[in-house]
Each structure stands twice: as C-alpha cells, then as structure tokens.
Amino acid sequence: DTAVSQTPKYLVTQMGNDKSIKCEQNLGHDTMYWYKQDSKKFLKIMFSYNNKELIINETVPNRFSPKSPDKAHLNLHINSLELGDSAVYFCASSYRQGASTQYFGPGTRLTVL
Amino acid sequence: RKEVEQDPGPFNVPEGATVAFNCTYSNSASQSFFWYRQDCRKEPKLLMSVYSSGNEDGRFTAQLNRASQYISLLIRDSKLSDSATYLCVVNMGAAGNKLTFGGGTRVLVKP
C-alpha cells in the first residue's frame, strides 16, 4: 500500500506551459507539504497545509499555487514554467503540524525545456 | 551562513569500518533534530531522531552538542546497504514548525 503517492513521476514540458502535480496520502495525516530539491540536492520547503489550511508559504514565486481539496490531497499547480523550475518536487505528510516524522512521496522529476 | 550545514562528502568507507560525520546549525533556539536517509533518486526517509542525551539505534549513534550547535551521526560496522546520502534536519521552531534540511553527506561503502 502506497502511503504518499504523487503523479506524475516524470514531467517534461516546454517553457511557458502550465502544469500540475498531484499528491495523495492515505495515512490519515493532518499536515501535508511540498518540497523542491534542486540539482545541488538541497531540499527546501515550499508550502505546508494543516487540515486544508495554508500554514507555511515560503518565498516562492506566485506562479506556484498549492490547492488542498481535502486533508488527504495537496496538489501543486505551476504557471508559466521557467527553466529554473526544473527540479524534483516531493510531497510529504506528517501526523500533525510539527511532528518529527514526515513521510515523503516518491517525487516528481520536472524538466523544463 | 547556511542554516544547516553538512560536509557533502563523499565519505568512502571500507565495508565493516566506522564512519562519523557532523552537521552544524545556526539557530541556537532550534528545538529538535533528526537524521534522514536518501538513496539515489529516491525520497528521504527518517533514519532517527536525535535526543539531547544521545541515542543509538543498532549500528547508528546520534549525538547532539547544543553548546557548539552540532549533531553527529556515527555508523559502525558499515554495510554496503548503508551507501546513501544522510540529511541533517532541524526544527528551528519557526512558525509552522517547519523542518530545515541540510544539503546531505554522501556515504559510499565499498567492499
């Protein structure tokens, strides 16, 4: 059984396009996150939602918009994709806000051409 | 200065040997500390939490030095399967209790 799943696993697209990444967790967790891992392997938090409420919104361009239709889902929509958006995007969840253990999805490798 | 700093490595370790590496953090008010493990092209997974008194989990020992603001991870009797990137993670107690990840230390265990 997959705990945190993401789709798609790979995404190759042209500059200027709009794309979405979906995330679902079946752990019953309250909190979900989006992280970006760039080519230098630094993992940086982008957003966090707790029970569908936005809790953390790091300095991320407005082109990135998260949406949480319910606490089991957190999607990420990216408008007007740029070359610098190429990275691996990880979704994660935790039992509650601030919980030590975060469970990560398998990642979505985004390549912008 | 980065909030969480690690030696990127790689640490080349003979199978069966012991390897240890540190991670420094900038915020003295940081509340909790963890080591995550990330295999190549995979997602990070929690390896262990780091407690003030130090803690051990099998061949892995984690230590916290609050005065000098660093945590360490020691791996004894290294196995080939220990080859991975080890991510130092700190909860600095900021709004939302976000976790801040270091850039990772790569460990390669060789026969």
Side-chain angles (χ1 to χ4, degrees):
Chain A
D1 286 344
T2 304
V4 182
S5 58
Q6 292 179 230
T7 54
K9 192 166 184 182
Y10 298 97
L11 187 51
V12 181
T13 187
Q14 299 285 336
M15 259 173 47
N17 284 351
D18 303 338
K19 290 293 177 186
S20 291
I21 307 171
K22 295 187 175 182
C23 178
E24 176 181 359
Q25 54 95 1
N26 63 5
L27 298 166
H29 288 170
D30 284 349
T31 311
M32 296 185 72
Y33 313 81
W34 276 112
Y35 287 87
K36 177 180 179 181
Q37 188 168 43
D38 60 25
S39 56
K40 293 183 179 178
K41 306 301 181 188
F42 277 92
L43 198 64
K44 290 185 179 175
I45 191 163
M46 302 172 69
F47 302 103
S48 169
Y49 271 73
N50 189 60
N51 271 320
K52 303 194 299 176
E53 182 185 348
L54 182 65
I55 299 297
I56 294 172
N57 185 351
E58 291 294 285
T59 307
V60 175
N62 290 339
R63 299 181 294 103
F64 290 79
S65 52
K67 281 192 172 55
S68 183
D70 54 63
K71 75 174 193 177
H73 295 84
L74 180 61
N75 304 323
L76 183 65
H77 188 76
I78 315 170
N79 288 327
S80 304
L81 278 155
E82 299 178 357
L83 294 177
D85 297 333
S86 295
V88 181
Y89 292 83
F90 286 101
C91 175
S93 73
S94 63
Y95 174 63
R96 56 175 174 75
Q97 187 183 334
S100 60
T101 306
Q102 293 188 10
Y103 296 83
F104 284 78
T108 295
R109 188 170 294 272
L110 171 65
T111 303
V112 182
L113 303 174
Chain B
R1 182 184 174 187
K2 292 195 181 82
E3 292 179 298
V4 180
E5 283 200 83
Q6 296 183 248
D7 182 339
F11 284 63
N12 293 302
V13 185
E15 195 176 4
T18 296
V19 61
F21 42 89
N22 294 340
C23 156
T24 58
Y25 58 94
S26 62
N27 187 343
S28 59
S30 296
Q31 297 180 348
S32 47
F33 309 87
F34 315 93
W35 285 104
Y36 274 67
R37 170 190 169 133
Q38 186 172 23
D39 292 307
C40 189
R41 300 178 81 85
K42 297 285 189 182
E43 70 274 21
K45 292 182 180 178
L46 178 68
L47 177 68
M48 59 195 299
S49 300
V50 186
Y51 302 124
S52 297
S53 54
N55 49 299
E56 196 173 298
D57 183 359
R59 298 179 294 106
F60 297 82
T61 301
Q63 298 273 359
L64 167 63
N65 185 319
R66 281 194 183 271
S68 301
Q69 294 181 208
Y70 73 86
I71 66 172
S72 63
L73 182 66
L74 181 145
I75 309 173
R76 279 187 305 279
D77 187 23
S78 298
K79 312 289 184 193
L80 296 177
S81 57
D82 294 333
S83 296
T85 296
Y86 292 86
L87 303 171
C88 173
V89 185
V90 178
N91 181 339
M92 298 192 175
N97 278 306
K98 69 174 185 177
L99 298 183
T100 301
F101 285 73
T105 295
R106 192 161 168 227
V107 172
L108 295 173
V109 182
K110 300 188 174 179

